[in-house]
């Protein structure tokens, strides 16, 4: 083949490669621009409202006063702090543990807060912030019975009455580990610990942070069982719709809150 013809073909291939590379770059750029235009973070700022999903039944993280319709709790204060950082108002959207995933998928809120545990099922559907708390499941019982329920084997016996709230990680943990003892589902998570205090249930296995808080509310009546050494490992975080820009903002806000002392101040108000 003549040299000139070979050179022409080489130039044509080079031109084609450049054209394809330019097209690929243009596609990547348009995709990135489209993703940026569809950012949940931009939507929230433009809307001027951050929609926060909350169960309102899990002190010290979240509690909904049915008369005033006002939320209070650790994650209520944290949500207000996040709203302030975003420069938007916070709108609390009531949900429940059994309904939370369906509400999340229906886009009823931008972020779920209120003692939400990280799970693979939730991770498949959204993004979690960096963890805000590390803990696990541990029992809480009447103080007189505290020494009877230190292990799963001691708990999982005929005659032991375990109480759980429906639809969350507490019920899943109990059903995964208890085969012999009775498990009773109690729908009102705001009154579930009263069932133990008055003797209608023996114990509940829940997050160590909650057992400490309920022990504080029921001094000498209810006692957390080894909350520093829970049965399993778990972390709590904030569950967001799948948007990397929103996650990056929330993570940065959490980082600054930990460094400037604002996180510690809110934590102390509810856990110490």
């Amino acid at each position: 083949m003549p040299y000139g013809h070979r050179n022409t073909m080489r130039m044509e291939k080079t031109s084609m490669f450049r054209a394809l590379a330019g097209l690929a770059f243009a596609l990547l750029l348009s995709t990135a621009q489209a993703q940026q235009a569809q950012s949940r973070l931009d939507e929230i700022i433009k809307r001027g409202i951050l929609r926060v999903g909350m169960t309102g039944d899990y002190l010290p993280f979240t509690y909904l006063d049915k008369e005033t319709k006002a939320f209070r709790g650790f994650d209520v204060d944290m949500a207000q702090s996040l709203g302030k950082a975003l420069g938007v108002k916070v709108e609390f959207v009531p949900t429940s543990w059994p309904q939370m995933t369906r509400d999340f998928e229906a886009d009823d809120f931008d972020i779920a807060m209120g003692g939400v545990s990280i799970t693979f099922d939730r991770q498949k559907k959204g993004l979690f912030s960096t963890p805000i708390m590390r803990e696990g499941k541990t029992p809480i019982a009447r103080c007189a019975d505290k020494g009877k329920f230190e292990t799963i084997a001691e708990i999982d016996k005929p005659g032991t009455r375990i109480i759980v709230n429906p639809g969350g990680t507490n019920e899943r943990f109990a059903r995964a580990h208890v085969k012999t003892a009775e498990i009773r589902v109690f729908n009102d998570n705001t009154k579930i610990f009263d069932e133990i205090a008055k003797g209608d249930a023996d114990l509940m296995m829940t997050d160590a942070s909650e057992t400490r808080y309920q022990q504080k509310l029921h001094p000498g009546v209810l006692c957390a069982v080894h909350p520093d050494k829970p049965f399993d490992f778990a972390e709590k975080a904030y569950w967001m719709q799948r948007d990397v820009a929103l996650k990056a903002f929330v993570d940065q806000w959490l980082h600054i809150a930990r460094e400037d002392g604002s996180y510690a101040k809110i934590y102390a108000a509810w856990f110490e």
Side-chain angles (χ1 to χ4, degrees):
M1 183 181 292
Y3 174 80
H5 185 59
R6 289 199 301 270
N7 189 49
T8 300
M9 290 180 65
R10 189 178 298 114
M11 291 175 64
E12 288 175 351
K13 288 180 180 179
T14 300
S15 297
M16 184 179 296
F17 174 79
R18 287 175 177 171
L20 289 172
L23 178 60
F25 177 78
L27 288 171
L28 286 172
L29 182 61
S30 63
T31 300
Q33 290 173 338
Q35 289 176 339
Q36 184 178 11
Q38 297 168 4
S39 166
R40 172 79 54 159
L41 178 63
D42 291 337
E43 286 181 28
I44 292 167
I45 294 172
K46 184 178 180 180
R47 187 196 308 146
I49 296 172
L50 174 68
R51 300 172 304 158
V52 180
M54 280 198 167
T55 62
D57 65 350
Y58 187 15
L59 280 171
F61 295 97
T62 172
Y63 178 75
L64 174 61
D65 188 311
K66 294 180 180 179
E67 292 185 4
T68 64
K69 304 300 182 182
F71 282 89
R72 62 183 176 87
F74 169 77
D75 274 333
V76 176
D77 293 347
M78 289 294 288
Q80 295 291 1
S81 173
L82 174 57
K84 183 178 179 180
L86 285 164
V88 301
K89 294 180 179 179
V90 175
E91 176 184 296
F92 294 106
V93 181
T95 184
S96 66
W97 297 111
Q99 185 69 28
M100 181 181 288
T101 297
R102 289 190 289 271
D103 291 345
F104 185 90
E105 290 176 318
D107 195 17
D108 287 349
F109 43 80
D110 305 301
I111 185 170
M113 303 174 73
V116 180
S117 297
I118 297 175
T119 68
F120 289 130
D121 286 341
R122 290 168 180 161
Q123 184 75 51
K124 290 174 187 176
K125 301 177 186 301
L127 296 175
F128 278 103
S129 68
T130 55
I132 62 164
M133 199 171 294
R134 177 176 177 171
E135 56 180 1
K137 302 300 182 189
T138 201
I140 181 169
R142 290 180 297 278
C143 294
D145 297 332
K146 181 180 178 181
K148 298 179 182 179
F149 305 121
E150 295 187 348
T151 67
I152 295 290
E154 290 173 326
I155 291 169
D156 193 16
K157 291 180 178 180
T160 301
R161 300 166 301 165
I162 301 167
I163 194 165
V164 298
N165 59 306
T169 56
N170 291 338
E171 183 181 5
R172 287 199 290 274
F173 181 87
R175 297 198 183 282
H177 294 87
V178 173
K179 307 304 176 184
T180 304
E182 174 193 345
I183 297 176
R184 177 164 69 98
V185 177
F186 190 80
N187 288 321
D188 191 344
N189 203 36
T190 64
K191 298 178 180 178
I192 197 167
F193 296 96
D194 295 335
E195 294 293 294
I196 303 171
K198 65 185 182 182
D200 289 344
D202 294 317
L203 75 144
M204 180 178 180
M205 290 181 287
T206 185
D207 299 322
S209 58
E210 187 174 32
T211 66
R212 289 190 182 98
Y213 183 75
Q214 291 298 329
Q215 176 179 260
K216 182 179 177 181
L217 291 183
H218 301 82
V221 179
L222 297 183
C223 285
V225 182
H226 53 64
D228 294 328
K229 296 180 179 179
F231 290 140
D232 66 349
F233 166 78
E235 289 180 317
K236 294 190 183 302
Y238 300 136
W239 188 28
M240 295 163 279
Q241 298 289 345
R242 192 178 285 125
D243 181 76
V244 293
L246 178 59
K247 173 176 165 54
F249 188 96
V250 172
D251 286 347
Q252 184 64 21
W253 159 71
L254 279 171
H255 170 68
I256 292 173
R258 286 193 172 100
E259 294 298 321
D260 69 11
S262 55
Y263 176 92
K265 184 177 180 180
I266 296 173
Y267 183 93
W270 291 99
F271 290 96
E272 296 178 0

